[in-house]
Amino acid sequence: DDPSLWIASSYLPGRQRALLGGDFYDAVQTGDGFLHVIVGDVSGRGPDEAALGVGLRIAWRALTLSGVPTDRVVDTLQLMIENERRDAGAFATLCTLEIDPRERLLRLRRAGHLAPMLIADGTVTSLPLNHGGPPIGMFAGSEWPETCFELPDPWTILLYTDGLIEGHDGGNGHLGEERLRELLVDHLGRVPN
């Protein structure tokens, strides 16, 4: 409901003709005006992984909307994956954001997921510099520390899964984080103010 926020999303399974994948994302704004966002990726490919991703997304949304603190949300998702996966080795990476748009504050938790990119003032920076915790479902008793950032005005955050950077770059290799950052900076240089 906040007119100062704009969300754009795109989803394309990595395999040709696939309709489902283990990647998931969601965003909700709670009554306090905070924007909550999750992006995640279940290991493996197929309908079981896609179903697990859907379950994790729905659980995250229900927990977030019911006001459960973010640290407890990630702990609960850990329990969920341990109890709902068919393959005992299945895990999921995820990144959660809690954004206070009025104060321009970002609270971020990462569980083995790629760092989001902060785009501001013509620069692209990967956040955070630390690695967070391991993927959920990998180790019992894990912790996922929260990192806080003050957001510039204006700001944009790019969240993505490994399918984006592991895709081909049009040449002989994978795109990679550094090349993605270069492409974003190049695009920013061509966009009129």
Side-chain angles (χ1 to χ4, degrees), residues 4 14 38 64 75 81 100 104 113 121 141 155 159 169 180:
S4 70
I38 188 170
T64 300
D75 290 343
I81 198 169
D100 180 346
R104 292 195 329 264
H113 200 78
D121 298 324
W155 55 270
L159 296 163
D169 66 359
L180 173 60

Side-chain angles (χ1 to χ4, degrees), residues 4-20:
S4 70
L5 298 172
W6 179 71
I7 297 174
S9 62
S10 179
Y11 178 81
L12 180 65
R15 293 176 295 141
Q16 285 186 342
R17 299 174 58 194
L19 299 175
L20 298 172

Side-chain angles (χ1 to χ4, degrees), residues 20-97:
L20 298 172
D23 296 2
F24 59 95
Y25 61 91
D26 202 354
V28 297
Q29 188 172 20
T30 49
D32 56 9
F34 283 51
L35 175 65
H36 302 265
V37 183
I38 188 170
V39 63
D41 184 3
V42 177
S43 63
R45 295 182 177 167
D48 289 340
E49 291 78 7
L52 187 54
V54 168
L56 289 168
R57 183 187 65 78
I58 291 170
W60 172 84
R61 177 176 273 260
L63 292 163
T64 300
L65 289 173
S66 57
V68 174
T70 308
D71 59 336
R72 300 243 351 260
V73 169
V74 178
D75 290 343
T76 304
L77 295 179
Q78 165 80 10
L79 291 173
M80 184 185 164
I81 198 169
E82 288 173 355
N83 290 289
E84 296 297 323
R85 61 187 170 194
R86 287 182 180 245
D87 173 9
F91 63 88
T93 66
L94 57 88
C95 179
T96 64
L97 306 180

Side-chain angles (χ1 to χ4, degrees), residues 4 18 25 69 73 75 78 83 95 100 117 120 122 124 127 144 158 161 163 168 172 181:
S4 70
Y25 61 91
V73 169
D75 290 343
Q78 165 80 10
N83 290 289
C95 179
D100 180 346
M117 292 188 180
V124 179
L127 298 176
W144 300 274
L158 173 66
T161 61
H168 293 287
N172 295 323
R181 192 175 297 106

